[in-house]
Amino acid sequence: MLTSHKKVTFIPTGNYSTALVVLVAKRLLTMSSDKEEVQVTLEDQKKINLFAKKNGNLNEIETELEEIKKALQNIEDAGDDLMLLEDEDSEAIPYQLGEVFIQHNLEETQGLLEKEKDKYEQRMKQLKEEAGEIESMMKELKVQLYAKFGDNINLEA
């Protein structure tokens, strides 16, 4: 069996490849640390795969959170613009639903904006909770994998 003292760095991305994970595992099989063989078990491989999958999920959540922040800013800007309207302009305000614009008065439009804002804020709260759970799981996996592989693996998230 080939042995080496080189360090393997595993940097999972949102679009990780199973082949990459398998390559990392195969490479770990052939490495040694202080002249001890490092064996990758099926359980270790599952942990590495789970870490990569959760890292991808976390990246997707962060992307969605950024989109929600932009949408909330747009809603806030629209609300500010509504406050600047004159009385005669506030009778027929176009509000976009899907690909269609519907005319509403000022109060109805403000109500629709509030509902939309509440929807986004609830989704943001849900995503932040999911992200916290994923980060916790990833920390636990890191501890387990570093305990076994030490400097032979580097899980950058």
Side-chain angles (χ1 to χ4, degrees):
M1 177 181 285
L2 296 173
T3 59
S4 173
H5 294 295
K6 293 180 183 175
K7 183 177 181 178
V8 172
T9 302
F10 176 58
I11 304 172
T13 63
N15 298 324
Y16 80 95
S17 165
T18 305
L20 174 64
V21 174
V22 170
L23 259 167
V24 169
K26 286 181 179 179
R27 179 72 178 133
L28 287 171
L29 279 171
T30 63
M31 298 189 71
S32 68
S33 173
D34 297 331
K35 300 190 182 197
E36 273 186 41
E37 293 289 325
V38 178
Q39 297 294 320
V40 178
T41 64
L42 178 60
E43 187 66 28
D44 298 330
Q45 182 65 49
K46 287 180 181 178
K47 288 177 184 178
I48 293 169
N49 290 345
L50 182 60
F51 182 87
K53 180 180 177 184
K54 292 299 177 183
N55 189 61
N57 292 347
L58 187 60
N59 289 338
E60 290 172 9
I61 288 173
E62 289 170 354
T63 300
E64 188 173 347
L65 282 171
E66 287 300 316
E67 291 171 3
I68 289 173
K69 286 178 185 175
K70 288 177 186 175
L72 285 171
Q73 183 61 48
N74 289 340
I75 291 171
E76 192 70 32
D77 292 344
D80 292 345
D81 289 345
L82 288 177
M83 289 182 182
L84 299 174
L85 289 177
E86 302 286 331
D87 286 337
E88 64 270 358
D89 294 333
S90 64
E91 293 177 15
I93 301 170
Y95 185 84
Q96 186 176 4
L97 291 174
E99 296 181 16
V100 178
F101 285 92
I102 300 175
Q103 301 284 333
H104 289 286
N105 65 29
L106 180 62
E107 293 81 27
E108 290 173 336
T109 305
Q110 287 173 331
L112 290 170
L113 286 175
E114 273 303 311
K115 285 181 185 177
E116 196 73 14
K117 182 179 176 181
D118 290 343
K119 181 181 83 170
Y120 280 117
E121 286 173 345
Q122 288 176 354
R123 180 67 179 151
M124 182 180 275
K125 181 181 176 185
Q126 178 188 12
L127 288 173
K128 286 181 178 181
E129 288 173 4
E130 286 179 33
E133 292 171 6
I134 289 172
E135 287 170 346
S136 173
M137 181 182 290
M138 288 174 68
K139 284 180 186 176
E140 187 176 313
L141 287 169
K142 269 186 168 183
V143 167
Q144 293 171 7
L145 291 167
Y146 279 128
K148 178 159 185 183
F149 299 110
D151 291 337
N152 290 328
I153 190 168
N154 186 5
L155 303 168
E156 295 297 323

